[in-house]
Amino acid sequence: MAFLLLWFGTLDYRDLIKTDEGRYAEIAREMVVSGDWITPRQTDIKYFYKPPLQYWATALAFQSFGINEWTARLWPALTGFVALLFAMLTLGRIFDRRTAWLGAAVGASSMLYFGTAHFNTLDMGLTCFMFVSLCAFMLAHFQPNNSEPTRRRWMLLCWAALALAVLSKGLVGIVLPGAVLLLFMLIERDFSVLRRLEWLRGLSLFFLITAPWFVVVSIQNPEFPRYFFFHEHFERFLTTVHRRYQPWWYFLPVLCYGLLPWLGWLPQALWQALRVQHEPPFNQVQRKTLRLVLIWCVLIFVFFSVSKSKLPSYILPIFPALALLIAVVLRNTSYKVWQWQSFGLVAAGLLVLIPVWNMMNYADNAVELALYGKYRQVLLVAVAVWVLGCCCAFIAARWHRADWAAGVLTATALSSFTLGMLGHQQMSVLYSARELSTTLKPLLGAASKVYSVGFYDHTLPYYLGRTVTLVAHQDEMSFGLQQEPQRWIPTLEAFHEQWLKEVQPYAVLPPDALPRLQALNLPLREVYRDPRRVVISRP
């Protein structure tokens, strides 16, 4: 119960922040308001970057529980929890109950996994359904005592999960699992599994789930197929069109930080899975499981490492699988290893004090300096919790209580990560438009129009509860604006003319853009200012 409260009970403490959280919450809000659940729109502009499953789920949550931060983050938290349940189920059936609990603990308390589950982005949904497909496949084919109906049910669940993965983030949801299976069969030199994949029923179920939306959205928007399938898949992977290029080793530090506090067990887990054929404690089913999971982790990591578009959360699908590998190692970890690992984590926590203490150097003005100071206090408490908890895990290991050490380390990680995330609320004014909207919203009348000049804060329309008009800024909305150019104002000069025509206009802009408007003799008065935004109206 305490875990459930920690996992789901803190979702609404923090304001939504830019970019992803505001973007995906706003698309779902506009679906609810407009009633159009086919064509995703962001601030009333067509937005075809991703399929709609998370938008639909969030919109349903908005309708059921109201539009707020808790419902906006519910889908990532829920899918993250479901993946943990499948990790427990799979480890429990293939290994034992203790390994199942260890796998769930490792997955839940890994930094990147926990953080993404409490952040409104699409990667956790993709991770969940890809991982469910992996677990369902293993439960269908790696248990020799399965009856034919049982095997068929698990295999159909695998196909359904692949379909939901595609609806979560596109073709990667089936291409990567398919590539993993192909590589596994090549390494095993066993293609007999192809005859047991339930091709007819499985493909029928897959297309029954995925095809309707793709067909309808393509009929209503003829420009969709080429943009979504070519630009958002092939161009994103092969080119730097999204300006997210990073070196090939980019995900190595992401993996190291993201897997804390369990990073120390990763080398042994990978080595054990690699050498599993020579490990006597494992039976044939367990050996196949470890090999397949290792292939899953390595192939997905390499795939995204060679991609020209990289973000930290892209490798999230390997984290539940890594939790499986690490759990198998943890169940036989000696007390001395537990002590050394706990000691290393204490040292890591003390090292973190250096950047935390020096974070004030990143402040650009007095307001940011005060905000950074408040956040630093929370982070210092989080580090203290981390160090104290790791010391307790060390003591538990000294007392030869391995399960206690694992439990203490899990609780420590969950507590310190939660404190760090909740403390970020101190920085809300810099990354969220909630406070700005609290000032602006009461001023808006029925005839008011809001413009976003020279930039776009993705949380602004969500917190205002209305769309805004972009001025001299396209960025990720460029494709949608090509289809409907009337939905924006391309130049400041055109904006000047429109400003004079409006009855009660307001505009949000970065502070450095204000002199450019004043140079155009735009009649204005300032109604709000924070370190990163200014709101003006017409006198």
Side-chain angles (χ1 to χ4, degrees), residues 391-462:
C391 288
C392 292
F394 178 86
I395 294 172
R398 290 277 293 180
W399 290 350
H400 289 195
R401 301 285 186 176
D403 286 350
W404 287 18
V408 169
L409 201 55
T410 300
T412 296
L414 289 172
S415 301
S416 57
F417 296 160
T418 299
L419 280 171
M421 292 193 70
L422 298 186
H424 194 267
Q425 178 63 15
Q426 302 289 345
M427 311 282 287
S428 171
V429 68
L430 301 180
Y431 299 98
S432 174
R434 186 193 61 81
E435 184 175 317
L436 180 157
S437 300
T438 301
T439 300
L440 179 56
K441 204 170 181 179
L443 304 177
L444 301 177
S448 299
K449 288 196 69 173
V450 180
Y451 298 91
S452 183
V453 181
F455 89 128
Y456 177 58
D457 186 327
H458 293 75
T459 65
L460 180 61
Y462 173 81

Side-chain angles (χ1 to χ4, degrees), residues 119-154:
F119 192 82
N120 185 22
T121 188
L122 306 181
D123 296 285
M124 185 54 78
L126 174 69
T127 297
C128 171
F129 295 118
M130 284 178 59
F131 184 68
V132 169
S133 73
L134 173 66
C135 293
F137 175 85
M138 292 190 296
L139 293 172
H141 296 286
F142 291 175
Q143 297 192 95
N145 296 327
N146 274 347
S147 65
E148 186 61 23
T150 299
R151 186 196 62 77
R152 181 180 298 119
R153 284 194 293 269
W154 282 120

Side-chain angles (χ1 to χ4, degrees), residues 8 11 29 164 167 231 233 287 374 400 410 502 510 524:
F8 291 102
L11 297 176
R29 187 196 71 83
L164 294 175
L167 280 179
H231 176 80
H233 288 81
R287 290 186 180 117
K374 293 179 180 179
H400 289 195
T410 300
E502 294 292 341
L524 59 88

Side-chain angles (χ1 to χ4, degrees), residues 486-506:
Q486 73 277 9
R487 296 190 182 277
W488 79 308
I489 299 176
T491 65
L492 293 180
E493 289 73 18
F495 171 64
H496 183 279
E497 297 179 10
Q498 186 64 31
W499 182 260
L500 298 177
K501 297 176 184 177
E502 294 292 341
V503 176
Q504 194 181 16
Y506 290 86

Side-chain angles (χ1 to χ4, degrees), residues 30 34 37 40 59 64 66 69 77 142 184 237 243 253 280 302 327 329 395 408 415 418 421 442 481 538:
E30 291 185 40
S34 68
W37 293 54
S64 302
E69 289 85 359
F142 291 175
F184 175 72
F237 182 81
R243 299 188 298 276
V302 171
V329 169
I395 294 172
V408 169
S415 301
T418 299
M421 292 193 70
L481 291 173
R538 200 177 68 198

